[in-house]
Amino acid sequence: MTIKPLCDRVVLKSCEAEETTKSGIILTASAKEKPEIAEVVAVGPGGKVDGNDVEMFVKVGDKVITAKYAGTEVKVDGEEYSIVRQSDILAIVE
C-alpha cells in the first residue's frame, strides 16, 4: 500500500533517534525525544489551498526539520509515517 498526499501535504518518515548523548550516556526508549529530522517520502501536488496558490518546495528524498508536534502519525504496512502540511516544515537539511 502507498500513501499519496493531497494538496499541500507531505509524507515524512522519521530518522532514527539518537541512541547516546554526546558524552556517551546510553538513552532508554522512554528518554529519547521524538526526532525532528525526517525524510520526505511523498509530496502532494500543491495547487489551490484556502484560495491561495501553493507551490511545493520540498521533493522526495529531502531531509527536513519539522515543528515538534506537527502532523498526523499513521502506520502503514508496519512502517510509521507523519503527514504534515508543507507550512509545518521549518527547513531543508543540506
Side-chain angles (χ1 to χ4, degrees):
M1 180 185 329
T2 60
I3 302 173
K4 184 176 178 183
L6 302 175
C7 300
D8 66 334
R9 302 285 200 285
V10 179
V11 178
L12 304 174
K13 184 174 182 180
S14 294
C15 295
E16 292 299 315
E18 293 293 323
E19 299 288 328
T20 59
T21 64
K22 290 181 182 180
S23 60
I25 298 172
I26 298 173
L27 298 173
T28 63
S30 61
K32 295 178 196 171
E33 288 189 19
K34 176 184 170 188
E36 295 169 16
I37 296 180
E39 183 176 350
V40 177
V41 176
V43 179
K48 286 231 183 253
V49 176
D50 297 329
N52 300 316
D53 286 327
V54 174
E55 178 184 351
M56 301 305 284
F57 295 103
V58 296
K59 61 186 181 307
V60 173
D62 282 349
K63 295 236 189 248
V64 297
I65 298 173
T66 61
K68 192 165 193 118
Y69 298 105
T72 301
E73 303 289 325
V74 294
K75 193 170 192 176
V76 177
D77 295 335
E79 295 285 335
E80 292 186 16
Y81 300 97
S82 293
I83 301 175
V84 300
R85 286 185 172 267
Q86 180 176 249
S87 60
D88 291 331
I89 296 174
L90 306 175
I92 297 173
V93 179
E94 295 181 338

